[in-house]
Amino acid sequence: MRRTGTRWSAARQWVGQEWAEVRRSVRSACEEAGPERDTLVQSLKAAGAAILAWALCGWWFEAPMALLAPWTAIAMVGSTVYQSLRTGAQQLAIIALGTVWASGAMAITRDRSMTSMLLTLPFMMLLGNYRRFGAQGIYGATTALFVITAGVSSTSTVGHRLLETLIGAVIGLLVNALVLPPVHLRSVRDRLGRVAQETADLLNAMADGLREEDGLAGAEGWHLRATRLTVSLQDVSDARRWATEGSRWNPGSRLRRTGPTPPPFADDMRWGRVCTRALAVARTLAGIREDPELSRPSPDFFRQLSDVLGQAAVICVRETELLTSAEPDTPRDGRDAVAGEARAGLDALTEVFRRQEGTAAAVGGELLLEVRQLVTELDSA
């Protein structure tokens, strides 16, 4: 029963965190320019491209396989214009292969759907894994399914299917390139700022928790939040790739306001190391709580550790302000002053550590090492 209650508690905590993230994303999309608003714009563009493709093929032309047009248009509205062009070439090739192969199978089997699937799907699934088709390989098999389930194979229907696919691809590409074309130069800075803010929130949570009577009560939650930082780091990596691709063949790079230049790639690496150190601290604290036989460091040690983590959190907040500031040359005096306080706090923590004994000294030494490396990484900017 106790284990079941723990699972339900963890499930409620996860649902609460997810709901908070959803609300934050919706609020950010409505209130300010950033990744959430970019996602909203791209989603609405994909929906608009699909509706336009259906209106042209299904409503106006009354094409026999009009579904292929909006389906292709949605896939064409990618994160960048260059990605749309590359995706379009891959998708047209694999869809054409799927259409022709499935139509040939239907002709050979005299429109027997089951036999046609046996002749088509194994080959198309294998072909879809060919690296030249990238993530678009699955469209060959799904297109073949559409063709086979339609139940008619003739030269005219094959031509219609290829034409509808081409129309959807052209509409998706034009919508992505001409309607608020995505320019992702701002996204790198925004996502790095989010990593810094999430790290600050985590460090503040650990600092506040360690000051309480049962200082390790929230250690499991801290560890969970620390592991989620890897998702934010992956978002930074994606944004960096989008920023590189975003300027290629993109009319929006000249027409749209792009914002400040992205930070150097070295900042991505540094924040990756900072998050790794924060995860190590959270994991060690969670391990101390889970193992009752392990001697804990003294309350003085935890209080001083809390002070250092709080100062590290303030450094992260200052870094967030520097990353999200509209002025690239924002003074760094406040950040450097807090970094000096964090170094002084580390010296005090080292003095307290020297008074620890036995396994408490081993645990305290691990925490001291990770926190020292955390502050060093934050101070290296």
Side-chain angles (χ1 to χ4, degrees):
M1 292 295 292
R2 183 180 300 175
R3 182 177 299 177
T4 302
T6 302
R7 289 177 178 174
W8 276 110
S9 176
R12 286 196 299 269
Q13 183 180 17
W14 179 82
V15 171
Q17 290 176 344
E18 289 296 316
W19 178 242
E21 285 293 318
V22 170
R23 288 188 299 173
R24 183 190 59 77
S25 297
V26 172
R27 185 170 59 251
S28 297
C30 296
E31 295 178 354
E32 60 185 4
E36 288 82 5
R37 183 171 293 180
D38 291 342
T39 300
L40 174 64
V41 170
Q42 289 299 101
S43 299
L44 295 178
K45 284 168 58 177
I51 294 170
L52 182 59
W54 176 261
L56 185 62
C57 290
W59 177 64
W60 190 10
F61 291 158
E62 296 183 355
M65 281 288 287
L67 173 64
L68 289 175
W71 180 61
T72 307
I74 288 176
M76 286 295 297
V77 182
S79 300
T80 64
V81 175
Y82 170 77
Q83 188 180 86
S84 292
L85 289 168
R86 185 183 61 190
T87 298
Q90 293 171 332
Q91 193 178 80
L92 281 175
I94 192 65
I95 287 178
L97 285 170
T99 300
V100 172
W101 189 277
S103 300
M106 290 287 287
I108 293 172
T109 62
R110 297 182 181 181
D111 294 337
R112 292 186 178 89
S113 298
M114 181 59 71
T115 309
S116 298
M117 287 187 184
L118 290 173
L119 293 176
T120 301
L121 292 184
F123 172 75
M124 292 308 304
M125 288 302 299
L126 288 172
L127 185 63
N129 290 315
Y130 180 46
R131 63 184 180 85
R132 295 298 183 186
F133 291 125
Q136 310 306 313
I138 189 63
Y139 288 111
T142 53
T143 302
L145 280 175
F146 290 156
V147 172
I148 291 172
T149 54
V152 180
S153 62
S154 65
T155 303
S156 62
T157 55
V158 174
H160 272 295
R161 290 158 185 162
L162 294 177
L163 178 61
E164 291 145 16
T165 299
L166 179 61
I167 290 173
V170 171
I171 289 176
L173 176 61
L174 290 178
V175 167
N176 200 36
L178 301 179
V179 179
L180 296 176
V183 179
H184 295 280
L185 295 180
R186 186 189 62 244
S187 297
V188 178
R189 188 172 292 274
D190 289 341
R191 293 184 186 274
L192 265 180
R194 178 165 301 172
V195 169
Q197 185 60 56
E198 290 177 357
T199 305
D201 294 341
L202 171 64
L203 296 176
N204 266 325
M206 290 193 289
D208 293 340
L210 290 174
R211 294 188 186 105
E212 298 176 359
E213 183 176 354
D214 185 6
L216 299 178
E220 185 177 350
W222 304 336
H223 188 214
L224 179 62
R225 291 175 62 176
T227 57
R228 292 168 67 91
L229 290 175
T230 58
V231 178
S232 298
L233 288 171
Q234 182 59 47
D235 290 342
V236 174
S237 178
D238 292 341
R240 183 73 66 176
R241 175 171 54 82
W242 293 340
T244 302
E245 288 186 0
S247 59
R248 301 178 67 178
W249 306 337
N250 188 350
S253 60
R254 296 182 180 86
L255 299 176
R256 294 188 64 188
R257 188 172 54 189
T258 59
T261 303
F265 180 71
D267 283 8
D268 300 6
M269 304 299 293
R270 184 172 71 91
W271 278 106
R273 294 191 296 270
V274 168
C275 292
T276 299
R277 300 308 177 191
L279 174 59
V281 173
R283 182 173 57 242
T284 302
L285 292 173
I288 296 172
R289 176 173 175 77
E290 292 173 359
D291 190 349
E293 298 181 359
L294 199 63
S295 298
R296 299 182 180 184
S298 66
D300 289 342
F301 181 89
F302 280 127
R303 280 194 294 271
Q304 189 58 45
L305 176 63
S306 171
D307 292 341
V308 177
L309 290 175
Q311 292 157 351
V314 176
I315 298 176
C316 292
V317 172
R318 297 291 183 268
E319 291 269 358
T320 305
E321 295 170 353
L322 291 171
L323 285 167
T324 57
S325 174
E327 299 294 333
D329 297 326
T330 303
R332 301 170 56 90
D333 297 344
R335 180 209 172 280
D336 294 340
V338 176
E341 294 175 4
R343 291 192 297 271
L346 275 175
D347 293 338
L349 181 63
T350 303
E351 290 298 324
V352 176
F353 163 72
R354 290 170 179 165
R355 298 196 292 269
Q356 309 303 307
E357 298 179 352
T359 57
V363 173
E366 183 174 355
L367 286 169
L368 175 62
L369 176 62
E370 295 296 345
V371 172
R372 181 177 294 278
Q373 291 176 328
L374 171 66
V375 173
T376 299
E377 293 293 351
L378 288 172
D379 193 30
S380 63

